[in-house]
Amino acid sequence: MAEFTLKLRRYNPESGQAPYWDEHTIDLEPHRSVLEGILQAKARFDGSIGIRCSCRAAICGSCGVRINGQPGLACHTHLDKALASSRDGATIVVEPMGNMPIIKDLIVDMDAVHWKKVQRVTPWLINKEPIPEREYIVPHENMVDVTQTMACIQCGACVSDCLSMEVDPLFVGPAALSKAYRFVGDPRDAQHEARLRDLSEDPHGIYDCTHCFKCIDACPKGVAPMSQIMRLRRRAGSDFGIEDRNNGHRHEKAFVTNIRKNGLLHEADLLPDSYGGKLHPRAVPELLDSLPVITTALLRRKFTPAKALRHPHRKEYKNLREYFDKIEGRDQRLELNLYITGYDEDAPPADDTQNAPEQGEPGRTPEESPSR
């Protein structure tokens, strides 16, 4: 047995009082979970502590909270590890998840945000017609492709830490968009293009993600929601040629063109290239709207006119285009599903090296990489 101090953030909106901190010292084995510690504090000291839980086995996703500022499942976080990650090395801080209204203490209203956004992406299969008389056999590679998104337990951890949702609460969000790929990647679905067009044209859809990687770090099941969002973008822009009104696809292409041309990102060209070039009718209004920002940047010496007009990195990366040519010259685009790695991490290393992964792709052989 060992003693641990839990610092819980308490808040009851119905009381009209401000949030406050409540500390309790619990006595449990170090390998026990933070959830068990909270439940002990609730049973021994204060029965009014609000915490949601169910399976206690990291399956249902009910006990999602922030532990020492990081999202996670209370039932899946050991007390000793939580203490090791605490800021002061003595207190385990537990708070409710972010980006969702608080019902009481550590319980958030997932219906108001998380489930509402999941419903937004039509989270069910729209079957093709005519419906087969017998079972619809799905190719193995397609099922491997969607296995990563199917691992989601809807805990809301990714929603809790999504920076885009903090700035734009209307953003569809990582959990819902990851769910969308579950059906976009399923060959049985009849509305792939319609789904992708809908999420591309929505100002709060797939192009509202800012690639902060927070959802990847937050997910306890390795779903990697941001990776699924990027795959939705590739399917929409590269496979279906959807030119969205948000200019998202053209903006992504501008990054590739810019780096291929200059070696490193030359930001002065990025805005006009996103709209077709400096003299394109779409680019001129955007450049005029950006003049106040450009003027402020010049006055604060963020850049100089010489750096804005020249491309200083081109000669340093003269061989970079060879990589672009090699990748773009492939007959098929490789889509790596990082959830299925093809080996057992706990198994002893094998003597033979016939199935060893290629350098740069740990745990995966080329045959195991699902492709489109």
Side-chain angles (χ1 to χ4, degrees):
M1 293 285 188
E3 288 189 349
F4 297 90
T5 301
L6 298 179
K7 186 176 181 180
L8 310 178
R9 189 177 188 273
R10 307 289 301 277
Y11 177 54
N12 186 355
E14 296 180 356
S15 69
Q17 298 179 357
Y20 63 96
W21 294 100
D22 191 14
E23 289 193 11
H24 297 287
T25 300
I26 52 97
D27 190 14
L28 282 172
E29 294 91 342
H31 68 272
R32 295 299 186 97
S33 69
V34 172
L35 175 61
E36 290 180 275
I38 296 172
L39 294 178
Q40 186 182 99
K42 180 181 176 71
R44 289 185 179 181
F45 309 115
D46 189 346
S48 67
I49 296 174
I51 176 71
R52 180 189 286 130
C53 62
S54 183
C55 74
R56 308 191 192 187
I59 296 174
C60 72
S62 299
C63 63
V65 291
R66 276 179 172 164
I67 302 172
N68 299 324
Q70 301 298 320
L73 300 176
C75 72
H76 196 52
T77 306
H78 293 177
L79 287 166
D80 54 352
K81 293 184 178 179
L83 185 63
S85 66
S86 64
R87 294 180 179 179
D88 60 4
T91 305
I92 300 172
V93 180
V94 186
E95 303 171 82
M97 292 193 294
N99 289 328
M100 287 177 274
I102 298 175
I103 296 177
K104 183 184 178 184
D105 298 337
L106 305 176
I107 304 172
V108 296
D109 187 354
M110 298 188 69
D111 288 335
V113 179
H114 174 73
W115 290 112
K116 181 179 179 181
K117 293 181 182 294
V118 170
Q119 290 294 322
R120 158 70 181 84
V121 301
T122 314
W124 56 81
L125 192 75
I126 303 174
N127 57 271
K128 295 179 179 179
E129 299 289 347
I131 301 175
E133 295 182 1
R134 302 189 66 180
E135 181 182 4
Y136 194 128
I137 305 298
V138 180
H140 171 73
E141 60 269 18
N142 291 107
M143 290 312 300
V144 170
D145 187 36
V146 298
T147 299
Q148 191 168 11
T149 62
M150 292 169 64
C152 177
I153 59 175
Q154 305 298 337
C155 65
C158 59
V159 174
S160 168
D161 262 31
C162 178
L163 298 182
S164 291
M165 293 186 72
E166 289 188 16
V167 177
D168 178 15
L170 296 179
F171 175 43
V172 178
L177 291 175
S178 179
K179 186 71 171 180
Y181 189 81
R182 160 68 183 88
F183 302 103
V184 169
D186 195 320
R188 296 170 296 179
D189 192 88
Q191 299 292 331
H192 288 170
E193 183 174 4
R195 290 177 185 271
L196 291 168
R197 188 172 295 278
D198 173 39
L199 296 173
S200 298
E201 296 288 352
D202 189 341
H204 315 288
I206 56 178
Y207 291 109
D208 206 15
C209 172
T210 58
H211 320 135
C212 69
F213 286 83
K214 295 286 284 185
C215 61
I216 293 181
D217 293 336
C219 181
K221 292 296 182 178
V223 175
M226 193 196 79
S227 297
Q228 313 310 322
I229 296 174
M230 297 302 104
R231 301 174 85 187
L232 289 172
R233 290 182 179 184
R234 289 193 289 271
R235 292 295 305 276
S238 300
D239 295 349
F240 289 93
I242 298 174
E243 296 284 350
D244 59 287
R245 62 179 178 178
N246 304 307
N247 207 51
H249 179 56
R250 287 188 292 269
H251 187 54
E252 287 194 338
K253 289 175 63 177
F255 271 95
V256 177
T257 303
N258 191 305
I259 294 174
R260 180 172 185 166
K261 176 182 178 182
N262 303 310
L264 293 178
L265 184 64
H266 191 258
E267 296 184 11
D269 286 345
L270 185 59
L271 176 61
D273 286 350
S274 298
Y275 289 89
K278 293 183 176 65
L279 301 179
H280 196 283
R282 288 195 304 261
V284 174
E286 296 296 329
L287 289 170
L288 293 176
D289 289 343
S290 301
L291 283 177
V293 178
I294 296 173
T295 302
T296 302
L298 283 170
L299 293 175
R300 295 182 179 179
R301 303 182 66 83
K302 295 293 184 180
F303 67 93
T304 63
K307 287 185 178 181
L309 297 175
R310 291 186 300 174
H311 307 287
H313 304 298
R314 185 183 305 173
K315 294 181 180 180
E316 298 178 19
Y317 293 87
K318 59 183 179 180
N319 296 326
L320 183 64
R321 297 182 186 181
E322 296 179 6
Y323 293 100
F324 280 89
D325 294 338
K326 181 178 180 180
I327 294 172
E328 295 172 355
R330 291 174 175 169
D331 295 332
Q332 282 187 314
R333 184 178 70 241
L334 297 180
E335 295 282 4
L336 299 182
N337 183 332
L338 301 181
Y339 188 72
I340 303 297
T341 58
Y343 77 107
D344 186 354
E345 293 181 353
D346 298 327
D351 293 334
D352 66 288
T353 59
Q354 293 180 356
N355 294 323
E358 292 184 348
Q359 186 175 3
E361 293 186 14
R364 176 181 297 281
T365 62
E367 292 79 15
E368 292 166 338
S369 300
S371 59
R372 282 283 170 199

